[in-house]
Amino acid sequence: MGRGVHLVQKLSTTRAFARLAPHLIPALDRAVHRMSGGKALLSTRMLPGVVLTTTGARSGLPRRTPLSCVPQDDGGWLVVGSNFGRPGHPSWTANLLKNPEAEVSWRGRDIPVRARLLTGAERERAWRAALAFWPPYAAYQARVEREIRLFRLDRR
């Protein structure tokens, strides 16, 4: 990885980043995604990403969330509910727990998926893969008491 990626990784472990990023990064990603016709996300300059469309757990309305992801060799994705190392679980994770049928926008294509919360040994393997992919996840986990949720998204 280049110096820019290492700098972003270092910055992303700070508490200031955890306060600002949840407001700035998704908004910028949504704008770029919309302007590019679903083909681009600003954050993918650092990590692969999807726009996840879930059904709101309370509202029942569609909720679109740009997320970093770990693409899997079989065509699925891992998504990490890190919430940038903030205390609460991100709302998209509650949406998936209640309504696992969702959709991802991946490289300009909308793909129906089914989400599965990972637990036990499967979660441990996925967590190691996520840390290898983006080491700052370890700092996020160290900052919070909750176990960060990991989901596997499989094509339907």
Side-chain angles (χ1 to χ4, degrees), residues 14-28 83-84 86:
T14 66
R15 291 188 189 279
F17 184 87
R19 280 193 308 275
L20 297 174
H23 305 288
L24 296 176
I25 293 174
L28 290 171
N83 206 12
F84 299 95
R86 295 175 358 163

Side-chain angles (χ1 to χ4, degrees), residues 42-56:
L42 185 63
S43 61
T44 59
R45 303 288 294 163
M46 291 290 130
L47 290 169
V50 296
V51 174
L52 175 68
T53 302
T54 60
T55 301

Side-chain angles (χ1 to χ4, degrees), residues 29-30 32-33 36 39-45 49-51 66-67:
D29 268 343
R30 280 187 200 97
V32 169
H33 190 257
S36 70
K39 292 183 174 42
L41 291 170
L42 185 63
S43 61
T44 59
R45 303 288 294 163
V50 296
V51 174
L67 297 172

Side-chain angles (χ1 to χ4, degrees), residues 18-156:
R19 280 193 308 275
L20 297 174
H23 305 288
L24 296 176
I25 293 174
L28 290 171
D29 268 343
R30 280 187 200 97
V32 169
H33 190 257
R34 191 172 38 255
M35 290 187 301
S36 70
K39 292 183 174 42
L41 291 170
L42 185 63
S43 61
T44 59
R45 303 288 294 163
M46 291 290 130
L47 290 169
V50 296
V51 174
L52 175 68
T53 302
T54 60
T55 301
R58 291 191 306 252
S59 71
L61 298 173
R63 301 293 184 204
R64 295 174 58 81
T65 308
L67 297 172
S68 296
C69 67
V70 182
Q72 302 297 284
D73 291 338
D74 63 3
W77 300 267
L78 291 178
V79 289
V80 180
S82 68
N83 206 12
F84 299 95
R86 295 175 358 163
H89 292 289
S91 58
W92 64 265
T93 67
N95 295 346
L96 288 180
L97 289 173
K98 183 164 184 185
N99 303 299
E101 303 286 320
E103 184 177 271
V104 295
S105 176
W106 171 252
R107 297 181 177 164
R109 291 183 45 227
D110 293 332
I111 302 166
V113 295
R114 177 182 294 279
R116 187 168 46 86
L117 178 66
L118 301 180
T119 60
E122 186 179 27
R123 185 199 181 281
E124 289 306 314
R125 283 190 302 277
W127 182 246
R128 285 192 301 273
L131 290 178
F133 201 71
W134 189 248
Y137 286 139
Y140 299 168
Q141 182 63 78
R143 217 171 20 234
V144 297
E145 292 182 23
R146 66 182 172 88
E147 181 178 74
I148 290 176
R149 293 175 176 159
L150 271 74
F151 286 86
R152 165 76 193 214
L153 304 177
D154 291 305
R155 296 169 189 251
R156 291 190 267 143

